[in-house]
Amino acid sequence: MDIDTLLERYPKTVDLKGTRVVLRPLQPTDVKGFHAFFCGVPETERMFLKHRVTDIEVIRQWCTTIDYGRNLPLLAMQGKRVVADATLHQQFGGWRRHIGRISVVTHPDFRGRGLGRLLVEELIHIAQHLRLERVEAEFIGNQVAARKLFARFGFDELLVLPGYVKDMQAIDHDYVLMGRKITTDEEFTSAAG
Ligand SMILES: CC(C)(COP(=O)(O)OP(=O)(O)OC[C@H]1O[C@@H](n2cnc3c(N)ncnc32)[C@H](O)[C@@H]1OP(=O)(O)O)[C@@H](O)C(=O)NCCC(=O)NCCS
């Protein structure tokens, strides 16, 4: 299935433990809202993100060069407020072309309501129907909640490299790669008979 067809399921409204959110892909008009979202993530966690997300120019660049086939940021919105983001990253060609990478961040005010789980589930569904064969997620050090969340979806620890990466303050942390195989579209169809 192609990405445009898969994205027809959005916007999607979901009720979660006292909150109603709308899931939809990032749009060019999200610069301010997406930037405000990242500014609300504690600095101790932002250090684990790969990009300088408090720089609005970084966010502007993401919003003006949207290519869902390469990076699909799926946002959870409460009204006009971005409250969570999970992104499916893909590489075209090369020896990682069959692997999708998932990253997820929930605003601290909205944690523990199932948002992280919901977004990861959506992206696994999309990855399966894009015929990716594997999904993975990367972690630095002790991201306990996140590792537990992915473990619930069957992600195993594939690699642990002690003290391998440095955060923005040049402090060493372990690098952890988790991943799992996913069933392809065709396998779904044949299993359904
Ligand atoms: C990881 C994260 C996305 C979870 O978001 P969330 O919206 O709170 O997730 P959910 O409410 O769906 O909880 C999912 C699971 O996470 C785990 N979890 C959530 N909060 C936790 C906590 N404080 N401590 C330990 N585990 C926790 C639980 O296993 C929970 O499942 P449960 O329903 O059985 O309790 C969020 O904590 C976050 O944004 N962390 C910082 C960014 C990060 O580490 N991202 C991962 C890099 S890919």
Side-chain angles (χ1 to χ4, degrees), residues 17 41 45 48-49 84 102-108 110-118 137-139 143-150 152:
K17 294 185 188 163
V41 173
E45 291 176 3
F48 298 143
L49 304 176
I102 295 177
S103 56
V104 58
V105 187
T106 299
H107 190 284
F110 290 82
R111 290 191 186 163
R113 303 186 197 192
L115 253 181
R117 221 168 39 222
L118 174 72
E138 296 176 308
F139 307 89
Q143 288 168 285
V144 180
R147 285 162 68 174
K148 203 170 156 195
L149 164 61
F150 280 91
R152 278 180 62 128

Side-chain angles (χ1 to χ4, degrees), residues 44 47-48 139-143 160-176:
T44 47
M47 284 195 305
F48 298 143
F139 307 89
I140 295 183
N142 226 7
Q143 288 168 285
V160 180
L161 296 175
Y164 189 67
V165 289
K166 284 190 196 296
D167 64 27
M168 296 294 187
Q169 295 181 346
I171 298 168
D172 293 347
H173 294 278
D174 297 351
Y175 170 84
V176 180

Side-chain angles (χ1 to χ4, degrees), residues 35-105:
H35 180 250
F37 164 70
F38 282 119
C39 289
V41 173
E43 197 183 337
T44 47
E45 291 176 3
R46 279 202 310 260
M47 284 195 305
F48 298 143
L49 304 176
K50 285 186 176 173
H51 302 272
R52 222 171 266 280
V53 289
T54 49
D55 178 353
I56 196 156
E57 289 312 318
V58 170
I59 308 299
R60 199 185 309 282
Q61 167 80 7
W62 289 353
C63 292
T64 50
T65 56
I66 288 173
D67 177 355
Y68 296 136
R70 204 167 275 275
N71 291 304
L72 170 59
L74 186 60
L75 305 186
M77 308 290 301
Q78 192 193 54
K80 291 186 174 171
R81 183 177 176 194
V82 179
V83 297
D85 159 53
T87 301
L88 177 67
H89 310 261
Q90 293 184 69
Q91 287 183 13
F92 295 128
W95 45 271
R96 292 178 62 80
R97 65 187 179 283
H98 59 297
I99 307 171
R101 180 168 58 84
I102 295 177
S103 56
V104 58
V105 187

